[in-house]
Amino acid sequence: MYAKFVALASLALAGGVSAWGSEGHSGVGFVADALIQANTRAVRDYLLPAGWNFNRSSTWADEIKDGKSGNYKWAAALHYVDAEDVTPLDVNSTTPLDCKVEFPRDQAGGINIIDAIGNYTTRLQTGKNTLDWNQKSEAVKFLSHFIGDITQPLHNCGKLVGGNSFKVVWEGQSTYMYNGYNSTFQLHVIWDIYMPEKDINENFGGSLDAWHQWILNATLPGGEFHKEAEESWYNSDEPLAWANDANSMNCGKVWDAALLKGTNPNVVFTPTSTTNDLAGDYYQALYMDIRKQIAKGGYRLAKYMDMVLKDQPIPSSSTTVAPVSTTTAAAPISTTTAAAPISTTTAAAPISTTTTAAPISTSAAPVESSTPCTDEVSASATSTPAAAPAQSTPCTEESASATATAAPVESTPCTEEESATKSAPAPAQSTPCDEEKTPVKTAAPVAAPSSTPCDEEESASSSPASEPTDVPVYSGAARNSVGAVAVAAAAAVLLM
């Protein structure tokens, strides 16, 4: 009898779960570690803390997002983008199906996962000779996480707070234990944690390593995903394209009414809940899609890092050990992306199969919800200037840089029925806040004010004093495509 794999580590991450939880994110990193080119591996080894690889760094952004390990809580809303989807649950005679991430409509003033990836890319490319090790290491760690997040469909969807406000039943239970109290099962948490966990237990004897290896093998020549990967997974190095790829699933099986309702006539199905047990037909219809999304994340991370880390300076001595990372105050995010095309042929070098598979408690942390609040939640967020932070200015969860001197303000997580607001000179903009997504400092407003999604269990108050302030921020107002950027013009601001 095998030891059952349970999602304790994933659910305990920073008081909330990011897309996929640690098992999924480490799978993304595992695949990327095997596929990156040799020179990329050398830069990775130098820019990450000693002994780390992408398998390890891919979970870091979740571990620090609660603000307890450095001043990063403000960046929690950089894990997702809030697309205004018309899902199968919303379609009617006058409203057709429509799932698409559209900028600037969904851009939230640059506070989103797409612009976060763009910002950290720009920092690495334009600051390769000027940023210090901590700043560049920070950027690599965030990229290794966000490129996994962006493959989770509900991290690219604003419907019911990315599924956090859609209540479900899982294996006969409507609640799970988290931090000593009952939390309600919702669609987002079963995507992040419970469906991957069930797949690992039922099909891989509870072995996380075996699950990761299967996903890698499926991506390699001869594997069932390989042909599709070579043909379509990296046709664009723009995160906006990746977001739309995952988002398209929200018009398919993710929100499929028949799957959510099931066939049991006694199921109670409403626009915001179902009593159908999703561990049945819903899981069976989607677990292979989840494996494929994890594989996509790893494949893209490898290709992208081969491009972004190319020509990064590292000490000539092969014995050089990367300095230990220090937690530095992060700056608000930049919405500028410098993403040059890259060859889609990546040498697949095998990598150690030792995955950090810490036993994981099923005490799942409420998921990160991508998006503006549901009917029950709304809030507005704006930014306030302040004193400049020290040193690292990455711009995603942990660091952000932007063109307007918009200072990040600490987020104010809220419950599903509560709303939080942040005042500032700039117009209100969306600031989701589920367990993983707490409102973060905002950049120069781009889109009209929108609601602030909130997780079901979190609540907190803003604390501008604890946030880095008055940091240069890129404005995303003029950008509709992450690849179309003026890196040279922005570099002086970024690197000051």
Side-chain angles (χ1 to χ4, degrees):
M1 177 145 180
Y2 62 78
K4 185 176 181 181
F5 176 85
V6 289
L8 172 60
S10 296
L11 300 172
L13 285 179
V17 179
S18 180
W20 303 130
S22 66
E23 65 277 7
H25 275 292
S26 60
V28 169
F30 179 83
V31 171
D33 282 327
L35 299 180
I36 53 174
Q37 297 172 359
N39 62 306
T40 305
R41 183 170 291 107
V43 178
R44 175 206 65 187
D45 291 347
Y46 173 66
L47 288 181
L48 291 177
W52 284 35
N53 53 18
F54 291 142
N55 184 325
R56 173 65 187 89
S57 67
S58 64
T59 63
W60 175 84
D62 281 342
E63 295 161 9
I64 51 84
K65 70 176 183 288
D66 64 349
K68 295 176 182 176
S69 302
N71 195 20
Y72 299 120
K73 189 172 182 178
W74 60 267
L78 301 178
H79 287 250
Y80 56 89
V81 62
D82 295 336
E84 298 180 13
D85 295 329
V86 178
T87 74
L89 297 190
D90 309 307
V91 173
N92 57 43
S93 58
T94 60
T95 308
L97 201 65
D98 183 24
C99 292
K100 182 180 181 182
V101 179
E102 184 178 310
F103 276 13
R105 181 195 68 184
D106 305 323
Q107 199 165 8
I111 307 300
N112 63 77
I113 190 171
I114 297 167
D115 285 323
I117 292 173
N119 174 71
Y120 279 119
T121 300
T122 298
R123 289 180 61 76
L124 284 169
Q125 291 184 326
T126 66
K128 62 183 177 183
N129 295 312
T130 54
L131 294 182
D132 65 26
W133 181 89
N134 282 310
Q135 292 171 314
K136 290 194 285 186
S137 179
E138 196 173 60
V140 170
K141 287 183 281 188
F142 273 119
L143 285 175
S144 67
H145 181 85
F146 288 137
I147 292 175
D149 270 351
I150 207 168
T151 66
Q152 213 273 45
L154 292 171
H155 277 247
N156 302 280
C157 175
K159 170 78 173 174
L160 291 175
V161 196
N164 273 292
S165 294
F166 189 84
K167 308 308 177 187
V168 303
V169 171
W170 182 258
E171 296 186 331
Q173 302 298 314
S174 59
T175 62
Y176 59 92
M177 290 299 294
Y178 174 68
N179 276 355
Y181 60 85
N182 281 329
S183 298
T184 303
F185 268 121
Q186 25 78 12
L187 191 62
H188 197 116
V189 77
I190 70 162
W191 265 87
D192 278 352
I193 302 298
Y194 287 91
M195 289 201 290
E197 175 192 304
K198 186 176 177 68
D199 185 18
I200 293 167
N201 285 328
E202 292 189 348
N203 299 309
F204 297 91
S207 171
L208 179 62
D209 287 344
W211 189 65
H212 285 171
Q213 191 64 51
W214 188 98
I215 292 172
L216 171 62
N217 291 344
T219 310
L220 297 174
E224 62 182 276
F225 299 155
H226 178 72
K227 185 173 185 295
E228 180 183 342
E230 291 292 305
E231 292 177 350
S232 64
W233 287 3
Y234 201 79
N235 287 339
S236 171
D237 57 21
E238 294 188 8
L240 181 58
W242 304 341
N244 272 308
D245 175 63
N247 174 266
S248 66
M249 296 176 69
N250 291 305
C251 275
K253 289 184 280 188
V254 176
W255 293 100
D256 183 87
L259 284 174
L260 291 171
K261 184 175 182 179
T263 57
N264 186 333
N266 296 319
V267 163
V268 177
F269 182 74
T270 76
T272 59
S273 68
T274 182
T275 60
N276 179 39
D277 193 331
L278 298 192
D281 291 343
Y282 187 86
Y283 161 79
Q284 291 296 332
L286 283 158
Y287 77 91
M288 283 298 294
D289 293 296
I290 289 174
R291 290 190 203 175
K292 182 183 288 188
Q293 292 306 107
I294 300 291
K296 282 182 183 179
Y299 185 87
R300 288 170 180 158
L301 178 59
K303 296 283 191 181
Y304 201 68
M305 287 306 198
D306 283 343
M307 179 265 291
V308 173
L309 299 184
K310 183 179 181 181
D311 301 325
Q312 282 286 333
I314 59 174
S316 56
S317 170
S318 60
T319 59
T320 300
V321 177
V324 176
S325 171
T326 59
T327 304
T328 52
I333 84 166
S334 146
T335 63
T336 314
T337 309
I342 178 178
S343 161
T344 59
T345 53
T346 304
I351 181 177
S352 161
T353 61
T354 52
T355 311
T356 352
I360 276 187
S361 92
T362 77
S363 56
V367 239
E368 158 178 87
S369 91
S370 78
T371 69
C373 293
T374 60
D375 307 330
E376 312 158 50
V377 188
S378 70
S380 60
T382 54
S383 56
T384 61
Q391 136 155 260
S392 125
T393 318
C395 305
T396 37
E397 284 200 47
E398 149 185 29
S399 50
S401 101
T403 68
T405 44
V409 182
E410 181 133 300
S411 59
T412 305
C414 35
T415 63
E416 292 187 52
E417 290 87 18
E418 298 176 321
S419 61
T421 61
K422 294 193 286 181
S423 60
Q429 52 194 23
S430 80
T431 312
C433 48
D434 87 297
E435 289 205 58
E436 163 184 26
K437 306 175 170 188
T438 55
V440 307
K441 35 197 156 192
T442 59
V446 174
S450 60
S451 59
T452 302
C454 312
D455 177 72
E456 58 196 43
E457 294 138 90
E458 272 196 341
S459 70
S461 59
S462 302
S463 178
S466 66
E467 300 291 344
T469 57
D470 202 21
V471 208
V473 182
Y474 282 141
S475 168
R479 292 180 50 253
N480 289 320
S481 168
V482 173
V485 298
V487 175
V493 177
L494 240 183
L495 305 176
M496 63 184 292

